Amino acid sequence: MSGVREGRVEVVGLGPGPERWLTPEASEALAQATDVIGYRTYTARIERRAGQVVHDSDNGDELMRARHALELASLGQRVAVVSGGDPGVFAMASAVFEAIERGPEAWRALDVRVLPGVTAMLAAAARLGAPLGNDFCTINLSDNLKPWRVIEARLSLAAQADFVLALYNPASNARPRQVHEAFAIVRALRAPSTVVVFAKAVGRPDEQVIITTLGEADPVLADMRTLLLIGAQSTRLIERGQGTPWVYTPRYVEGAP
Amino acid sequence: MSGVREGRVEVVGLGPGPERWLTPEASEALAQATDVIGYRTYTARIERRAGQVVHDSDNGDELMRARHALELASLGQRVAVVSGGDPGVFAMASAVFEAIERGPEAWRALDVRVLPGVTAMLAAAARLGAPLGNDFCTINLSDNLKPWRVIEARLSLAAQADFVLALYNPASNARPRQVHEAFAIVRALRAPSTVVVFAKAVGRPDEQVIITTLGEADPVLADMRTLLLIGAQSTRLIERGQGTPWVYTPRYVEGAP
């Protein structure tokens, strides 16, 4: 390669899956990248381009992927770090900044950009109606990087505050237990009639949406690809003659002026 | 017009502003619509198209706009209801379902779709680094439709839970007071060194980002177009030689396994 190129890292969210939710900015970054780095579930979604190198890897080594991206950018490469949804919500952006914070001083001078995207809870909400129409909390149920007691406290306080809860990574093969405990915490604080939705792989061919109640929900339905929504007190269904009912949370809260 | 058309309502989020954040699905819906309905700040952003009728209105009458859209769809029109950001987060989606719930039975049979988009907090977070890298709460500070005591309780519980707080609609000409009270509540519960960001009009030509601390923040800086972020205990800055420091919240929480 001749001349000096300006390296760059772009942290790109692919959205929940379909091309129709990928922003033009993200598409452009993918088209321009010399190198694409990501967990292979995500790199597999990207169109192959001549001259572009795809570095795929297993899940779980986010910090290694982030360092790899920063090293390549230091050498003048234009790197796209890809993950699902929005990169800033339980995806790669935080890992990239952690790598910069711990890494060589020179990495702070690199051109690093995060490109916003459609995160899973927004896609699930749109599919259902408007369940996030009032105040909500977004919690990653994985305790790989935070103590379970912190998650417990957050669930309990959020349930008391009558937030709608959007729970990411509710369960995996390695963590089947947490989602049961999460349900136990919320069941102690919210009515059994509270709306619960398991929104699985929204926007993808195997999409599955299960609408139930806190009293009747079976936590076993949650897996790695599920966005779990637990409604506020006011979250409710609008029944339709045919098709799934809509789920929405009114803007109005009892007692408003 | 000859023949019977199938009416439709598409609730479209325009994202925080620039075209580069508008999903292909949303662009397509805008291109296909026979009618566009929205607050004129948003309809003004849309390319004018021959034969397409734009119904713009003042802010504040969301339910009227929603009813208008449903009536037009009942007559066979293909209607795009537009607002900023993502339609499901403190925008038009909830108003549309409220109108359906209260409206004639026939509206339940209409083809109503919500199209997800990039909401302001995701754009602000991407611009800053990764401040939403850990659990967070999203609260609409407007008490037009909910009692202020509910907002107070939510702020207090969220601050206790060490969530990152993303506060929408922190202040307006008609509501200058609330943001001061919100700061007072959080200041009683979080350290003065907590990172605070006023992210104004992110992605637009007059974008302005002010990074400060809970102890030093001047609530007066917040207005209608500000997304106010209050960090968790672990949210921090990465200083750079030149340019704004990055803001990020690590995935790791003290005490993790």
Side-chain angles (χ1 to χ4, degrees):
Chain A
M1 199 126 343
S2 69
V4 178
R5 276 187 309 183
E6 191 74 20
R8 179 189 288 189
V9 173
E10 286 173 305
V11 193
V12 180
L14 300 180
E19 290 277 331
R20 68 182 187 275
W21 292 338
L22 189 66
T23 67
E25 182 181 59
S27 293
E28 176 70 14
L30 295 173
Q32 297 294 327
T34 59
D35 297 76
V36 175
I37 294 186
Y39 172 37
R40 62 174 55 89
T41 297
Y42 301 118
T43 55
R45 284 195 199 160
I46 299 168
E47 190 190 322
R48 290 291 178 259
R49 289 180 177 89
Q52 186 178 71
V53 184
V54 175
H55 312 262
D56 59 8
S57 64
D58 290 331
N59 201 2
D61 49 0
E62 288 92 357
L63 212 51
M64 261 179 54
R65 285 203 290 276
R67 289 193 182 114
H68 189 189
L70 293 159
E71 277 158 12
L72 289 171
S74 301
L75 299 171
Q77 299 297 94
R78 182 162 172 168
V79 189
V81 175
V82 301
S83 50
D86 174 274
V89 177
F90 315 135
M92 282 299 295
S94 191
V96 168
F97 291 102
E98 190 179 323
I100 292 172
E101 190 181 47
R102 299 188 191 183
E105 187 69 25
W107 283 1
R108 296 181 184 222
L110 287 173
D111 183 358
V112 176
R113 304 176 191 199
V114 180
L115 313 186
V118 173
T119 184
M121 67 180 167
L122 299 185
R127 169 69 180 74
L128 291 163
L132 303 179
N134 212 299
D135 304 329
F136 59 94
C137 277
T138 310
I139 301 177
N140 184 351
L141 271 199
S142 166
D143 61 351
N144 290 340
L145 295 170
K146 60 190 170 187
W148 179 249
R149 59 177 170 73
V150 167
I151 301 174
E152 281 178 327
R154 287 179 178 170
L155 286 168
S156 168
L157 292 161
Q160 286 169 60
D162 199 30
F163 283 113
V164 177
L165 304 180
L167 306 180
Y168 280 66
N169 303 315
S172 70
N173 291 338
R175 292 185 300 99
R177 185 184 46 84
Q178 283 85 343
V179 66
H180 294 266
E181 295 184 23
F183 267 101
I185 291 165
V186 180
R187 279 175 174 149
L189 295 159
R190 294 260 181 99
S193 59
T194 303
V195 176
V196 166
V197 183
F198 297 84
K200 210 170 286 192
V202 168
R204 302 191 63 79
D206 54 341
E207 169 181 300
Q208 197 191 1
V209 170
I210 299 163
I211 300 173
T212 177
T213 62
L214 191 58
E216 295 189 349
D218 183 354
V220 152
L221 295 172
D223 66 14
M224 277 277 283
R225 306 174 68 214
T226 304
L227 190 282
L228 178 58
L229 280 171
I230 303 180
Q233 202 176 293
S234 65
T235 303
R236 51 196 190 235
L237 307 187
I238 302 178
E239 297 293 345
R240 293 191 279 180
Q242 51 201 10
T244 325
W246 284 305
V247 182
Y248 98 106
T249 307
R251 304 166 302 154
Y252 182 85
V253 175
E254 198 65 38
Chain B
M1 197 131 337
S2 69
V4 177
R5 278 187 309 184
E6 190 73 21
R8 179 190 289 190
V9 173
E10 287 173 304
V11 194
V12 179
L14 300 180
E19 289 276 332
R20 68 182 187 276
W21 291 339
L22 189 68
T23 66
E25 181 181 58
S27 292
E28 176 70 13
L30 294 174
Q32 298 294 327
T34 58
D35 297 77
V36 175
I37 293 185
Y39 172 36
R40 61 174 55 88
T41 297
Y42 301 118
T43 55
R45 285 196 198 157
I46 298 166
E47 191 190 322
R48 289 290 177 261
R49 289 180 177 89
Q52 187 177 71
V53 183
V54 176
H55 312 262
D56 58 9
S57 64
D58 290 332
N59 200 3
D61 49 0
E62 288 90 359
L63 211 51
M64 259 180 54
R65 285 203 290 278
R67 288 193 183 114
H68 189 188
L70 293 158
E71 277 159 14
L72 288 171
S74 300
L75 299 171
Q77 299 296 95
R78 181 162 172 168
V79 188
V81 175
V82 301
S83 49
D86 174 274
V89 177
F90 314 136
M92 281 299 296
S94 190
V96 168
F97 290 103
E98 191 179 323
I100 293 172
E101 191 180 46
R102 300 188 191 182
E105 186 69 25
W107 284 1
R108 297 180 182 222
L110 287 173
D111 183 358
V112 177
R113 304 176 190 200
V114 180
L115 314 186
V118 173
T119 184
M121 67 180 168
L122 300 185
R127 169 67 181 74
L128 291 163
L132 303 179
N134 212 298
D135 304 330
F136 59 95
C137 276
T138 308
I139 302 177
N140 185 351
L141 271 198
S142 167
D143 61 351
N144 289 342
L145 294 170
K146 60 190 169 186
W148 179 249
R149 61 176 170 72
V150 168
I151 302 175
E152 280 178 327
R154 286 179 180 170
L155 286 168
S156 169
L157 292 161
Q160 287 170 58
D162 200 30
F163 284 113
V164 177
L165 303 181
L167 306 180
Y168 281 66
N169 304 315
S172 70
N173 290 337
R175 291 186 300 100
R177 185 184 47 84
Q178 284 85 342
V179 66
H180 293 267
E181 295 184 23
F183 267 101
I185 291 164
V186 181
R187 279 176 173 146
L189 295 160
R190 294 264 181 97
S193 59
T194 303
V195 175
V196 166
V197 183
F198 297 85
K200 210 172 285 193
V202 167
R204 302 191 64 79
D206 54 341
E207 169 181 299
Q208 195 190 3
V209 169
I210 299 162
I211 301 174
T212 178
T213 62
L214 191 57
E216 296 189 348
D218 182 355
V220 152
L221 294 172
D223 67 13
M224 277 278 282
R225 305 174 69 215
T226 305
L227 190 281
L228 178 58
L229 279 172
I230 303 181
Q233 203 175 292
S234 65
T235 303
R236 51 199 191 231
L237 307 186
I238 302 178
E239 297 292 345
R240 291 190 282 178
Q242 51 201 8
T244 323
W246 283 305
V247 182
Y248 97 105
T249 306
R251 305 167 300 155
Y252 183 84
V253 175
E254 199 64 38

